[in-house]
Amino acid sequence: MSRSDANDPEMNELAAEFGSMMNLLREGPHDVRPETPSANLWESIRSEVQADSVVPASEGKVVSLDDARQRSWGRRGAILTAVAAAILLVGVPLGLAARSGNESTDVLLAAGELGALDSGSASAADLYDTEGNLWLDLETDRSAGADAFLELWLLDVAEDGSVRDLISLGEVDGSGAYDIPDDIDVARFAVVDISVEPDDGNPEHSGDSVVRGGLS
Amino acid sequence: MTLTATFPSATLRMPVMHARYIRPVPASLEQRFVAGDELALKEAFDEHGPLVLGLCRRVVGNDAEDLAQQVFVAAWKSRHRFDPSKGSLKSWMAGIARFKSIDHVRAAGRRPSTGGGEAADFGEMQADAERVTDRMVLTEALSGLSGDRRRVVELAFYGDLTHAEISEQLAMPLGTVKSHVRRGLETLRSELEASREQI
């Protein structure tokens, strides 16, 4: 029994309820020394997790993702539509008045931070609409190793994290603008992903994603 | 892929309708982890990896990295069993480290190469693993309490002060001190229970 227990009726009462835990607490802060893991440790975890979950085909679980962000897309789609309407009503006339000639107007619809899935750096992708043509402004310093290339994808992710569908936006050649085909619904294909693809002629997603993030 | 050349970079950086993009409601690390976001696993590793690895090192020594790998992989595979309303991800992962270390020690004790004397110590090692984990969970949970509550609980247990003494030292009403101690202990108990959850 500690000194305070003897002098403090309140402590006696608590001891009846929290007894052994209170004794552990009195031993003071723990003496486990945090240890910075090596980069290898994360790579081992990552490859074990991916080997377990990746079926690199469109019907398989290529990746699993944040469903919370996905769920909010329905609502966000409606907001985007409203914003787009407002832009048409207000922005276009203003834009036309402010700008001379037929210079195009880029409207930022969404921003995406692409977090690193390996130990490398993050990237970013902003979604723009230029007179109805959608495109991504990609910022990345990633490059593929020998006998491989980087490929940019848009994923349609289900609530349970499985990938319902995916489309390729082609090979990544550093930062720049990447067009999105006209018939793609970005409210559905709302996750940007970059994968390392071996030069093996297989057009399917390798399952080896390096950065990924939702457009929001 | 096509590098669209029609947009001068000045236009790219300064869209006319900037600040019109929609910000999502951010989901917590815990929520995203349960939802299966691999980025959340990476974040959890960055945030809790050092402590999990330190715990493994303390309990099993040389095999700590292998064990920490097992802990994170097991946590990921069982993520649907993690309930953020019951406790923190940190406590839950510490609990997985607890069970994995005990399994590891038990398996090592069964190996023929291990001396009989060491095998006999298994009970002791298990108790040690339990104790180290419990103390770690409690300390981490305590440091996660909000300012006043944390100070009160620290003074009561690390400082061994009576409620009246804490009340005087912090110029805080006695009733508030009592309430902080009780609620603080309730939080710590929930975290401890979260770390004992079998996955």
Side-chain angles (χ1 to χ4, degrees):
Chain A
M1 179 178 279
S2 75
R3 188 189 63 85
S4 64
D5 284 4
N7 300 325
D8 203 338
E10 187 73 21
M11 274 296 186
N12 280 320
E13 204 179 299
L14 290 170
E17 195 179 343
F18 299 98
S20 59
M21 191 179 90
M22 285 165 62
N23 291 334
L24 277 174
L25 262 177
R26 287 207 180 86
E27 291 181 21
H30 69 82
D31 52 3
V32 169
R33 287 173 49 197
E35 181 178 331
T36 307
S38 64
N40 287 344
L41 180 53
W42 169 246
E43 288 302 331
S44 308
I45 291 167
R46 180 175 164 252
S47 52
E48 196 175 337
V49 162
Q50 291 198 336
D52 193 59
S53 68
V54 169
V55 181
S58 56
E59 71 224 23
K61 264 203 167 186
V62 176
V63 281
S64 41
L65 283 153
D66 171 9
D67 70 338
R69 272 184 290 191
Q70 299 306 308
R71 245 185 252 120
S72 60
W73 255 110
R75 194 170 61 239
R76 214 177 300 147
I79 298 170
L80 278 177
T81 311
V83 169
I87 289 166
L88 279 175
L89 287 173
V90 181
V92 172
L94 282 181
L96 287 178
R99 290 155 161 257
S100 59
N102 51 7
E103 209 175 319
S104 58
T105 305
D106 307 330
V107 179
L108 179 58
L109 293 182
E113 287 176 20
L114 312 183
L117 289 163
D118 55 10
S119 49
S121 56
S123 301
D126 291 343
L127 175 67
Y128 283 93
D129 179 345
T130 304
E131 292 165 354
N133 298 313
L134 297 182
W135 52 284
L136 288 177
D137 177 20
L138 180 68
E139 274 196 56
T140 185
D141 59 5
R142 293 305 191 108
S143 56
D147 302 323
F149 61 93
L150 295 179
E151 190 161 356
L152 182 63
W153 305 83
L154 289 179
L155 311 180
D156 169 17
V157 180
E159 301 252 326
D160 65 358
S162 63
V163 173
R164 272 191 295 246
D165 204 355
L166 74 175
I167 55 156
S168 170
L169 298 185
E171 188 171 341
V172 175
D173 182 21
S175 296
Y178 291 83
D179 283 335
I180 297 171
D182 287 345
D183 54 345
I184 294 305
D185 175 7
V186 291
R188 210 181 116 212
F189 288 87
V191 173
V192 181
D193 174 282
I194 296 179
S195 66
V196 177
E197 297 292 326
D199 271 329
D200 58 4
N202 181 349
E204 289 182 340
H205 194 293
S206 65
D208 184 12
S209 297
V210 288
V211 294
R212 192 184 307 139
L215 290 168
S216 55
Chain B
M1 190 55 200
T2 332
L3 190 69
T4 314
T6 47
F7 313 115
S9 60
T11 328
L12 277 182
R13 301 288 158 238
M14 290 187 295
V16 176
M17 292 299 158
H18 62 87
R20 278 197 187 271
Y21 52 90
I22 317 297
R23 294 195 178 281
V25 178
S28 70
L29 171 60
E30 269 87 357
Q31 288 168 329
R32 290 186 292 116
F33 183 85
V34 174
D37 183 347
E38 282 179 30
L39 285 176
L41 175 62
K42 175 72 162 70
E43 280 173 53
F45 177 78
D46 289 342
E47 207 169 313
H48 307 310
L51 210 53
V52 167
L53 182 57
L55 180 63
C56 294
R57 181 78 65 204
R58 170 72 200 273
V59 178
V60 304
N62 286 339
D63 298 331
E65 294 242 344
D66 280 350
L67 199 61
Q69 179 177 340
Q70 288 178 35
V71 170
F72 277 92
V73 171
W76 182 248
K77 287 181 180 170
S78 304
R79 62 186 180 274
H80 59 281
R81 306 200 59 159
F82 169 64
D83 180 353
S85 70
K86 287 188 180 164
S88 67
L89 190 56
K90 189 195 274 185
S91 299
W92 187 70
M93 285 186 160
I96 298 174
R98 173 209 306 273
F99 296 121
K100 291 281 173 195
S101 327
I102 291 171
D103 284 351
H104 182 94
V105 171
R106 184 184 291 128
R110 284 207 203 100
R111 274 181 219 138
S113 58
T114 312
E118 286 175 56
D121 288 340
F122 170 67
E124 211 172 288
M125 292 176 83
Q126 176 171 0
D128 186 54
E130 297 277 9
R131 188 180 197 80
V132 169
T133 311
D134 280 349
R135 283 185 58 198
M136 189 180 97
V137 169
L138 286 174
T139 308
E140 295 297 321
L142 201 163
S143 67
L145 294 177
S146 62
D148 274 354
R149 184 159 301 168
R150 189 185 69 236
R151 278 201 294 164
V152 167
V153 175
E154 279 173 356
L155 288 173
F157 293 96
Y158 296 170
D160 199 20
L161 298 187
T162 64
H163 288 43
E165 287 165 340
I166 297 168
S167 163
E168 197 177 324
Q169 186 163 330
L170 298 180
M172 186 183 277
L174 187 60
T176 310
V177 171
K178 287 179 179 176
S179 150
H180 276 316
V181 172
R182 167 164 289 281
R183 288 178 189 281
L185 287 176
E186 282 166 359
T187 303
L188 299 191
R189 182 170 58 191
S190 309
E191 292 293 334
L192 209 53
E193 281 165 5
S195 82
R196 286 175 175 156
E197 201 99 338
Q198 291 277 1
I199 62 159

